[in-house]
Amino acid sequence: MSNLKADPTMPLQYVYTNQDFVTDVRRSTDSSSGMASPPAKFDTTIQAGWADRMEKGLFRYHLGNLQTRILPGSRGYVAQLNIQRGIERRKPQEILSIQQEFSAKQFNFNKINPEEIIFEMIKDTERGTALHHSGQLQQPCRMVVLVNVSPLEFGHCLFVPDPSCCLPQVLTRFAIQVGIESVLLSSDPGFRVGFNSLGAFASVNHLHLHGYYLDHELKIESMPVKPLLPERGFYRLLDFPAGLLFYTESEELEKVARAICEVTDFLVDGNIAHNLFMTRGCPPCDHRQNEKNICSRKGVRIAVWPRISCFGAKEESSFNVALCELAGHLPFKNKKDYELTTEKDVIDIIQRYVLPDEEFHRLEQQLTRHLMGL
């Protein structure tokens, strides 16, 4: 079982093993929320820590219940009004390259108020499966979880691999694996984890992932896919916006995390910006999904969207196109756009940031060959 170790000189430690993964998560067929199941220790710890920091006034603004509406149309976009995030959030750093080096002079997570840290995630490698590469334990082995002081939704936190390593905003296998593990540690199908690369609206060049709760079902959880290399858990999303998809359950987690990292490394080497989104989702099936499969949230879907880079680009007035927007969750910055934007408007905005079809298909073929050759 996971346990919390207290040390007065250190942040709370959340110690876990593979045995703590929750495998019986399902979606209800008659409601947008998940099936009622007892919250996992992971969820209660994050949520209690987050609420405590909100009460202490550590956030840039108070986040209450956000106005939410589902846009009419087949895509089920979840629109939310979050004016204060657009106004109060820290000014994004100037990003000039997808491979920009970490700069200690810029804001980074070594400069935060230590009270923002909720806990450190540490995997018990004696009882769990250690993350090895060529026989060596991958470093860093701790993931610091802290509140995002400009939250976009309830429980919005940041997952930062050992901040003292000063890693730039480029995904590592460790970050990917712990991101997936976090989704599996949660019993809430609404818990999501995501990543914005540099040039894809990452605002801080210090390696971090986002995690938050959204109590609405997203189409990406059950969107149909085309198999590309199913033995590597690799698929293509068959709906807009064009993207790549990995799927894993707990048993294949390390293998799939390695394949995802091979894809994101390929994108970084090619200077291709990208967003990544992890969520509970149903297994990918070639045939028509039956009701049992479509409601299952036993595993994790990891979407990767290669996209057009934005460096110093003018932001959209309504919403920025980053990890949650590509997944169908739209935090709007102003009331007028929130109330008037249609599904077609959303598609038109997102279309400006995704790769043209021909370029995407060429990249898809390159990545499939790349994964086959490894």
Side-chain angles (χ1 to χ4, degrees):
M1 288 292 292
S2 61
N3 57 86
L4 297 166
K5 295 181 179 178
D7 177 339
T9 63
M10 293 286 289
L12 199 64
Q13 291 185 343
Y14 180 89
V15 182
Y16 67 98
T17 74
N18 288 1
Q19 281 67 52
D20 295 306
F21 297 152
V22 185
T23 58
D24 56 349
V25 179
R26 298 185 61 74
R27 279 282 183 196
S28 167
T29 52
D30 58 0
S31 107
S32 65
S33 61
M35 298 285 277
S37 59
K41 186 76 171 177
F42 178 81
D43 297 308
T44 56
T45 308
I46 279 191
Q47 292 173 14
W50 194 87
D52 172 71
R53 273 61 170 189
M54 179 65 77
E55 198 173 301
K56 287 178 177 172
L58 295 181
F59 290 76
R60 288 176 172 243
Y61 49 87
H62 178 80
L63 186 83
N65 290 329
L66 296 172
Q67 271 186 261
T68 304
R69 73 183 187 101
I70 310 302
L71 300 193
S74 62
R75 302 183 191 278
Y77 286 125
V78 179
Q80 291 189 311
L81 182 61
N82 191 341
I83 296 171
Q84 285 179 289
R85 178 170 163 83
I87 297 169
E88 303 286 350
R89 66 183 296 218
R90 185 181 290 108
K91 186 175 183 289
Q93 293 172 7
E94 185 180 19
I95 305 298
L96 303 172
S97 161
I98 290 162
Q99 301 182 50
Q100 190 163 312
E101 292 184 5
F102 175 89
S103 169
K105 294 177 182 177
Q106 299 268 28
F107 169 79
N108 62 75
F109 300 114
N110 295 308
K111 299 182 179 184
I112 63 162
N113 178 345
E115 288 187 65
E116 294 172 21
I117 297 173
I118 301 176
F119 56 68
E120 291 183 357
M121 289 178 71
I122 298 176
K123 193 165 189 180
D124 186 338
T125 54
E126 290 180 13
R127 293 183 296 149
T129 304
L131 182 59
H132 285 88
H133 180 65
S134 304
Q136 297 295 312
L137 193 64
Q138 288 277 88
Q139 297 292 338
C141 291
R142 67 187 185 109
M143 180 73 86
V144 176
V145 181
L146 52 123
V147 296
N148 187 326
V149 295
S150 302
L152 61 83
E153 242 294 9
F154 173 69
H156 189 180
C157 52
L158 301 173
F159 292 78
V160 184
D162 196 344
S164 65
C165 290
C166 300
L167 299 170
Q169 184 68 347
V170 173
L171 278 168
T172 62
R173 185 153 67 92
F174 174 81
I176 294 166
Q177 179 161 328
V178 179
I180 298 171
E181 288 175 344
S182 300
V183 178
L184 288 170
L185 286 167
S186 172
S187 61
D188 189 331
F191 183 68
R192 332 285 180 161
V193 171
F195 170 85
N196 298 321
S197 80
L198 301 179
F201 284 107
S203 58
V204 176
N205 187 17
H206 190 182
L207 182 55
H208 64 286
L209 291 84
H210 295 261
Y212 70 98
Y213 293 86
L214 178 70
D215 193 23
H216 293 273
E217 185 170 358
L218 297 172
K219 293 290 185 185
I220 195 166
E221 296 175 29
S222 56
M223 189 182 287
V225 298
K226 172 190 171 184
L228 296 176
L229 215 56
E231 63 272 23
R232 302 293 303 270
F234 188 44
Y235 303 83
R236 186 181 86 213
L237 293 169
L238 287 177
D239 207 344
F240 178 84
L244 307 165
L245 186 96
F246 287 88
Y247 176 81
T248 185
E249 295 177 5
S250 55
E251 301 80 11
E252 302 293 315
L253 193 157
E254 291 186 36
K255 185 178 82 171
V256 172
R258 189 178 299 115
I260 295 167
C261 195
E262 285 159 0
V263 165
T264 55
D265 282 350
F266 187 95
L267 296 175
V268 171
D269 289 344
N271 285 308
I272 300 169
H274 49 282
N275 303 95
L276 183 144
F277 190 83
M278 305 176 179
T279 182
R280 291 277 183 171
C282 68
C285 292
D286 303 335
H287 52 81
R288 185 176 173 79
Q289 296 269 29
N290 61 40
E291 191 173 287
K292 183 181 176 186
N293 276 345
I294 209 116
C295 293
S296 170
R297 295 295 180 268
K298 181 181 180 182
V300 181
R301 286 183 165 213
I302 305 99
V304 182
W305 289 282
R307 42 98 46 84
I308 293 168
S309 301
C310 303
F311 297 118
K314 182 178 182 293
E315 295 191 357
E316 296 288 341
S317 64
S318 50
F319 59 84
N320 292 333
V321 177
L323 66 93
C324 55
E325 291 82 3
L326 288 165
H329 171 212
L330 312 170
F332 278 83
K333 304 176 194 177
N334 68 79
K335 193 172 179 65
K336 182 181 177 184
D337 285 328
Y338 167 76
E339 291 176 341
L340 299 179
T341 297
T342 65
E343 181 178 272
K344 183 182 182 304
D345 296 331
V346 173
I347 292 169
D348 289 345
I349 291 171
I350 291 176
Q351 192 75 59
R352 298 201 282 268
Y353 295 89
V354 297
L355 295 179
D357 287 347
E358 190 177 325
E359 191 176 340
F360 176 79
H361 289 307
R362 187 165 60 245
L363 180 61
E364 175 196 305
Q365 291 170 347
Q366 291 172 337
L367 286 166
T368 304
R369 286 196 299 270
H370 179 64
L371 288 177
M372 285 176 71
L374 292 167

PDB file of all heavy atoms in Angstrom, residues 49 114 226:
ATOM      1  N   GLY A  49      -4.237  18.698   0.127  1.00  0.00           N
ATOM      2  CA  GLY A  49      -3.092  19.612   0.092  1.00  0.00           C
ATOM      3  C   GLY A  49      -3.389  20.852  -0.727  1.00  0.00           C
ATOM      4  O   GLY A  49      -3.010  21.971  -0.367  1.00  0.00           O
ATOM      5  N   PRO A 114       8.357  27.288  -0.684  1.00  0.00           N
ATOM      6  CA  PRO A 114       8.333  25.847  -0.369  1.00  0.00           C
ATOM      7  C   PRO A 114       6.969  25.350   0.097  1.00  0.00           C
ATOM      8  O   PRO A 114       6.662  24.162  -0.037  1.00  0.00           O
ATOM      9  CB  PRO A 114       9.376  25.707   0.749  1.00  0.00           C
ATOM     10  CG  PRO A 114      10.254  26.904   0.624  1.00  0.00           C
ATOM     11  CD  PRO A 114       9.400  28.003   0.063  1.00  0.00           C
ATOM     12  N   LYS A 226      -6.876   4.394 -35.300  1.00  0.00           N
ATOM     13  CA  LYS A 226      -6.358   3.482 -36.318  1.00  0.00           C
ATOM     14  C   LYS A 226      -5.048   2.897 -35.790  1.00  0.00           C
ATOM     15  O   LYS A 226      -4.169   3.649 -35.354  1.00  0.00           O
ATOM     16  CB  LYS A 226      -6.093   4.248 -37.619  1.00  0.00           C
ATOM     17  CG  LYS A 226      -5.373   3.419 -38.679  1.00  0.00           C
ATOM     18  CD  LYS A 226      -4.927   4.285 -39.852  1.00  0.00           C
ATOM     19  CE  LYS A 226      -4.030   3.495 -40.800  1.00  0.00           C
ATOM     20  NZ  LYS A 226      -3.514   4.337 -41.904  1.00  0.00           N
TER      21      LYS A 226
END
